[in-house]
Amino acid sequence: MTSDTYDIVIIGGGTAALVLATRLSEDARVQVVVIECGEDRKDDPQILTPGLWPLLSGSPSDWAFRTVPQKELGNKELQFPQGRVLGGSSAINSFLFTPTSRASIDAWAKLGNKGWGFETFNEALKKAYTFHRSPGNTVGNGPIQLAVHKSEPENTWSKAWIDSLDTLGFPSSDPFSGTVCGPFENPESVDPKRKQRSFSANAYLEPALNRANLTVLTNSTVTRILLKKTGPEDVIADGVQITTSDGLSRAITARKEVILAAGAINSPRLLELSGIGDADLLQRLGIEVMVENPHVGENLQNHVYTGVVFDARDDEKTLDPYFRQEPNAGKAAAEAYAHGTGPLGSSSIVASAQLPFPGIQTDKGQQDLDQLLQSLDIEADLQRSPRTSASFAAANASVIRSILSSPTEASANYVFGPSALDGSPGNHITVAVMLSHPLSKGSVHITSASPEYLTGNGGLEIDPRYLSHPLDLEVLARHVQFTEQAIGRAEPLARRLKPRTELFGDLEQAKQYVRLTAEGSHHYTGTCAMMSRDMGGVVDDELRVYGCANLRICDASIIPIASRANTQAVVYGIAEMGAQIVKRNI
């Protein structure tokens, strides 16, 4: 066994990890090492070409996790993609960059997390990106390059989407405002000059690779955090044990800190394998309990979604031929990409909207919400989730009531694309409807102490418990109804669609549709939550793991209450905040 020593050891080479590595290595006196299980594919055309992102799920760059059967979704097992490559999920996602709301971040501060209010968080996030609003008009000076990219024929569908929602009382919004309530064209983390994906590996890490104080190890698996007892309930992290691609075992020593940034699945996984977690589980698997904390791996949250597909008129141009892989469409896409447009240069999700509880602006809608909230005991249903404390349930319920009751806070995130995506004949548009603030909470736990599983997706039980909280189904079903009965009938969108037989006139029909068709987004959070230990936390507001003063976690797992919309921007903000915190303390 060989040994190496660094000041900072970062476990994981994903979205947050590479931000941390870049920022912390700005100080030449600090020796930093990043340890990533996957490969360095930052120059791979499949990753760099934006429109190829759907091919990356299930590829060697994906951990390809799966859930256990989901009771409320007909016992389906669902995919749970996460990046297994340098750059993590920022290398394989659909690269929508949607900053979250003021209310989402302030909810974290209200749990007692000092310094995590929206203003501070937003200033940190601004360090992450440069938004090219138009040629010569940029906002920010961060590494991640953002722009609105045009994938659709003649660029007319996004305008129809925005104009139609305007007629429903939701004018175009600025997704960076913190108070967005309405439609907008999607900023994407695609460099408009290079026409390539802009992600943590090429935007943050690549310019820093020549620093003598920064080491990056790929194809290297951390099998255990090396913990040493310093008291009855306290340990310190001496470093990590890794296995290299050639099967050799190696110890990496940390002079100052170990930072776990392996994501919402692998971060709790490594804590448990290292002896931090629920004592009963660890003892059953033969793992020595170093720090007992039953909240490790709990509080798993994800945005559940479904979609409504509308048939477009036969004379309308959509992206369906491209997704059906018709030869002429593929040739046209390649030609368009050479000029920086077309579906190869974009996610093909042309616009979004963040919208409030349907009808909340009207007396009828307010009455519907009042009756719904009176019929459900939100806090009691929350406490039925394993190990959800009464204090956290009360705080979480208060946040949700406030959001649902507001005409300017979003309870659903809508994403819009001019195609069916599944190769169906004809022309279509799809409106995906995503629950912004899920109350259903699940868990991820190891089922084996064997390190052999750590290079793959075995030895784990992932159970998000989708729709286990009854309010999630109620809210999502109403948004599905709104999609069909309001958005689908709004002009100018409606005149471009074929007549439609109403499917969701009855709320029970909408609920049944959600149960049959719902999927999980790739927005996993919460499994090492940042809040007090009594409330259910794993880390404090300085991101330190309870019971281990020099072990921090900095990734999506620390998010205590899921933020609305896509999590990419939020994770970059967390990482920039985390880098500032670590710099103050080393």
Side-chain angles (χ1 to χ4, degrees):
M1 177 183 288
T2 60
S3 178
D4 291 296
T5 300
Y6 300 85
D7 294 309
I8 305 290
V9 175
I10 300 173
I11 304 172
T15 309
L18 298 187
V19 176
L20 290 164
T22 301
R23 295 305 189 197
L24 296 178
S25 64
E26 290 171 347
D27 185 344
R29 299 168 298 178
V30 178
Q31 297 289 323
V32 179
V33 63
V34 174
I35 307 166
E36 166 57 38
C37 184
E39 298 179 350
D40 178 359
R41 295 182 60 194
K42 63 180 178 294
D43 298 320
D44 188 332
Q46 190 176 56
I47 286 176
L48 292 176
T49 305
L52 298 183
W53 70 268
L55 304 179
L56 295 169
S57 289
S59 75
S61 296
D62 175 18
W63 282 95
F65 296 123
R66 294 189 69 84
T67 71
V68 300
Q70 294 300 287
K71 178 182 176 182
E72 301 299 329
L73 304 183
N75 287 319
K76 289 187 297 187
E77 294 183 11
L78 300 177
Q79 293 181 337
F80 224 71
Q82 191 159 55
R84 186 183 182 275
V85 65
L86 199 64
S89 292
S90 73
I92 71 168
N93 64 11
S94 62
F95 44 82
L96 300 188
F97 197 96
T98 310
T100 193
S101 66
R102 178 182 297 272
S104 291
I105 303 301
D106 284 345
W108 306 354
K110 290 176 182 176
L111 295 175
N113 294 310
K114 296 179 181 178
W116 284 85
F118 178 77
E119 297 298 339
T120 304
F121 180 86
N122 200 41
E123 286 305 309
L125 175 59
K126 287 179 181 177
K127 296 180 180 180
Y129 66 83
T130 300
F131 182 24
H132 302 263
R133 289 185 178 271
S134 60
N137 178 16
T138 60
V139 177
N141 191 33
I144 300 298
Q145 304 301 302
L146 309 177
V148 173
H149 298 271
K150 304 297 185 182
S151 63
E152 52 169 322
E154 301 173 8
N155 303 322
T156 61
W157 282 107
S158 59
K159 185 176 187 307
W161 170 259
I162 290 171
D163 289 348
S164 296
L165 283 166
D166 192 8
T167 68
L168 297 174
F170 302 107
S172 180
S173 297
D174 177 3
F176 291 85
S177 68
T179 55
V180 60
C181 182
F184 52 88
E185 292 183 304
N186 290 316
E188 297 178 330
S189 50
V190 173
D191 189 327
K193 296 179 181 178
R194 297 184 178 182
K195 309 165 195 168
Q196 294 178 340
R197 178 192 293 269
S198 180
F199 67 118
S200 64
N202 63 2
Y204 271 92
L205 180 66
E206 190 167 11
L209 280 175
N210 61 351
R211 296 174 185 168
N213 62 328
L214 176 59
T215 301
V216 179
L217 305 177
T218 55
N219 296 302
S220 300
T221 304
V222 175
T223 57
R224 187 162 57 96
I225 304 168
L226 300 173
L227 302 174
K228 181 170 67 179
K229 284 275 189 181
T230 57
E233 298 181 359
D234 296 292
V235 299
I236 59 171
D238 282 340
V240 299
Q241 183 173 315
I242 72 170
T243 300
T244 59
S245 58
D246 53 9
L248 297 178
S249 183
R250 178 177 170 191
I252 306 289
T253 303
R255 295 189 192 95
K256 296 183 177 181
E257 294 201 356
V258 174
I259 305 175
L260 182 51
I265 308 304
N266 281 320
S267 283
R269 183 189 205 181
L270 274 169
L271 287 183
E272 291 181 338
L273 285 166
S274 305
I276 300 177
D278 177 60
D280 289 341
L281 170 67
L282 302 183
Q283 290 168 350
R284 190 166 64 249
L285 295 176
I287 299 171
E288 181 184 1
V289 179
M290 304 298 285
V291 176
E292 182 174 2
N293 189 333
H295 305 296
V296 171
E298 297 291 329
N299 194 44
L300 174 62
Q301 298 161 68
N302 192 19
H303 296 130
V304 67
Y305 76 95
T306 186
V308 181
V309 179
F310 296 86
D311 292 333
R313 286 172 26 184
D314 293 337
D315 57 347
E316 293 288 349
K317 293 182 179 179
T318 68
L319 292 176
D320 287 289
Y322 171 76
F323 284 101
R324 287 195 293 265
Q325 300 182 357
E326 296 178 8
N328 289 341
K331 180 181 178 181
E335 292 173 352
Y337 184 47
H339 299 286
T341 62
L344 280 173
S346 167
S347 68
S348 297
I349 304 170
V350 301
S352 292
Q354 295 186 13
L355 302 179
F357 186 83
I360 193 64
Q361 304 92 337
T362 67
D363 290 341
K364 185 177 182 298
Q366 185 64 61
Q367 290 172 3
D368 180 29
L369 177 61
D370 291 343
Q371 291 172 359
L372 178 58
L373 295 180
Q374 288 171 13
S375 69
L376 296 174
D377 189 334
I378 300 177
E379 293 175 38
D381 284 319
L382 273 169
Q383 289 183 68
R384 292 192 184 99
S385 297
R387 297 202 167 92
T388 298
S389 68
S391 56
F392 180 50
N396 201 169
S398 176
V399 169
I400 298 303
R401 286 194 192 97
S402 174
I403 287 169
L404 290 177
S405 302
S406 172
T408 58
E409 290 294 335
S411 57
N413 183 52
Y414 293 64
V415 294
F416 171 71
S419 71
L421 300 179
D422 63 357
S424 299
N427 297 328
H428 312 85
I429 65 168
T430 297
V431 181
V433 190
M434 180 191 304
L435 190 68
S436 292
H437 298 282
L439 282 168
S440 301
K441 300 182 189 303
S443 63
V444 53
H445 293 294
I446 59 172
T447 58
S448 170
S450 176
E452 68 182 273
Y453 290 112
L454 278 167
T455 57
N457 55 18
L460 273 175
E461 182 177 273
I462 301 173
D463 185 5
R465 300 178 72 240
Y466 292 133
L467 302 183
S468 58
H469 194 290
L471 189 61
D472 287 354
L473 178 61
E474 297 284 353
V475 174
L476 188 53
R478 284 165 172 79
H479 279 287
V480 166
Q481 281 189 309
F482 182 80
T483 303
E484 179 182 70
Q485 296 171 10
I487 296 177
R489 296 174 180 172
E491 295 291 355
L493 199 58
R495 74 182 66 138
R496 304 179 67 175
L497 305 178
K498 290 181 177 180
R500 175 184 175 88
T501 301
E502 189 174 85
L503 299 178
F504 313 122
D506 181 77
L507 183 60
E508 290 304 315
Q509 291 176 306
K511 290 180 184 179
Q512 183 63 13
Y513 178 80
V514 170
R515 292 189 188 98
L516 290 172
T517 61
E519 298 279 347
S521 304
H522 307 159
H523 306 159
Y524 325 121
T525 62
T527 51
C528 298
M530 177 179 63
M531 52 187 167
S532 73
R533 197 168 185 172
D534 290 342
M535 191 174 275
V538 176
V539 300
D540 64 17
D541 51 26
E542 294 277 297
L543 306 182
R544 287 182 293 243
V545 174
Y546 289 116
C548 189
N550 70 332
L551 173 61
R552 298 182 204 262
I553 302 178
C554 186
D555 56 31
S557 71
I558 67 106
I559 296 174
I561 297 175
S563 56
R564 73 187 192 189
N566 309 71
T567 52
Q568 177 179 215
V570 177
V571 172
Y572 279 116
I574 288 170
E576 287 284 3
M577 287 275 288
Q580 293 175 25
I581 289 169
V582 174
K583 283 183 174 183
R584 289 198 302 263
N585 286 275
I586 61 171

